[in-house]
Amino acid sequence: MKQVKLKDKEFRVSITSDKIQEAVDQIAKKINNDYKGKDVPLFISILNGSFMFTADLFKHIDFVCEVTFLKLTSYRGTASTGAVRQLIGVNEAIEGRDVIVLEDIVDTGITLEQILGQLKSFEPASVRVATLLFKPEAYLKDLKIDYVGMEIPNDFIIGYGLDYDGLGRNLADIYTLINE
Ligand code: IMP
Ligand code: MG
């Protein structure tokens, strides 16, 4: 069983790269179907964690579209701080556009609520959310998540863009923290 050590913590493979790619494909198929014929939808990818998911998903999108990146953070170490800060704003025109927010993972939903709240003031025509991973047990909100790649248990994970204090984003598989 593949394991990695980052700083003081050990992690074990829990979702292989093949499984991740299957989930990405499934989301892309649904989005392609739902947005067929729409006028240049705008994907908003939430950095840092979503960069790999965004790159892989985007290659499967078959309609004319744009992508932009928004940087927020709510994590310190392995627990959500609850406070979300917006670090980089959106410059693209959002008013009247069909927007698809791309998240690596929705945990408590605090980040998502913040993003959707901020987006509303730009008056998009529509906003949908796609997340590769979703932790239903941790979710505190009732905002609709339109596209979910995989539901996962409420464990801390890394890899495929997700980090532990900045580390582990480069791993192609997803790993779960081994509890000592
Ligand atoms: P939320 O605001 O609690 O929903 O957290 C959302 C953000 O926290 C995600 O976009 C991730 O960047 C980060 N996050 C949530 N769960 C994990 C995890 O298990 N590992 C690494 N980062 C996570
Ligand atoms: Mg994130």
Side-chain angles (χ1 to χ4, degrees):
M1 188 60 92
K2 262 208 288 188
Q3 279 186 219
V4 293
K5 184 164 191 204
L6 299 174
K7 293 189 178 172
D8 55 324
K9 304 220 181 294
E10 303 230 36
F11 299 84
R12 184 181 294 129
V13 169
S14 51
I15 310 171
T16 61
S17 146
D18 287 356
K19 287 270 173 265
I20 297 169
Q21 293 308 323
E22 269 174 41
V24 172
D25 277 10
Q26 287 309 309
I27 294 178
K29 282 201 182 94
K30 288 182 189 150
I31 292 178
N32 283 334
N33 192 54
D34 292 351
Y35 286 81
K36 211 181 293 166
K38 297 266 186 191
D39 189 24
V40 195
L42 173 65
F43 289 89
I44 299 182
S45 169
I46 310 306
L47 293 173
N48 290 325
S50 302
F51 75 97
M52 272 203 199
F53 170 50
T54 301
D56 284 342
L57 181 84
F58 210 53
K59 287 180 266 184
H60 295 288
I61 297 302
D62 64 9
F63 49 83
V64 177
C65 60
E66 283 187 65
V67 63
T68 190
F69 298 87
L70 189 70
K71 186 162 180 170
L72 297 111
T73 180
S74 69
Y75 258 65
R76 288 288 173 279
T78 62
S80 185
T81 60
V84 182
R85 294 183 293 136
Q86 182 181 336
L87 301 180
I88 299 174
V90 173
N91 300 316
E92 278 69 14
I94 289 178
E95 194 182 330
R97 304 278 300 271
D98 292 306
V99 169
I100 305 151
V101 174
L102 299 180
E103 264 285 25
D104 48 355
I105 185 165
V106 176
D107 184 8
T108 61
I110 292 167
T111 307
L112 187 61
E113 183 176 67
Q114 177 91 6
I115 292 161
L116 296 179
Q118 288 182 22
L119 281 179
K120 214 185 255 174
S121 61
F122 292 95
E123 300 180 2
S126 71
V127 180
R128 285 194 182 177
V129 179
T131 186
L132 178 64
L133 303 162
F134 177 51
K135 292 180 181 172
E137 293 159 40
Y139 198 51
L140 301 173
K141 309 289 171 185
D142 33 45
L143 299 160
K144 186 174 176 221
I145 306 174
D146 304 275
Y147 309 97
V148 175
M150 270 178 273
E151 293 195 351
I152 59 164
N154 192 12
D155 299 320
F156 186 74
I157 58 165
I158 54 142
Y160 196 71
L162 292 149
D163 71 302
Y164 167 51
D165 274 353
L167 307 179
R169 295 193 196 275
N170 54 306
L171 301 164
D173 301 307
I174 288 173
Y175 295 70
T176 299
L177 177 67
I178 302 169
N179 294 309
E180 301 89 46

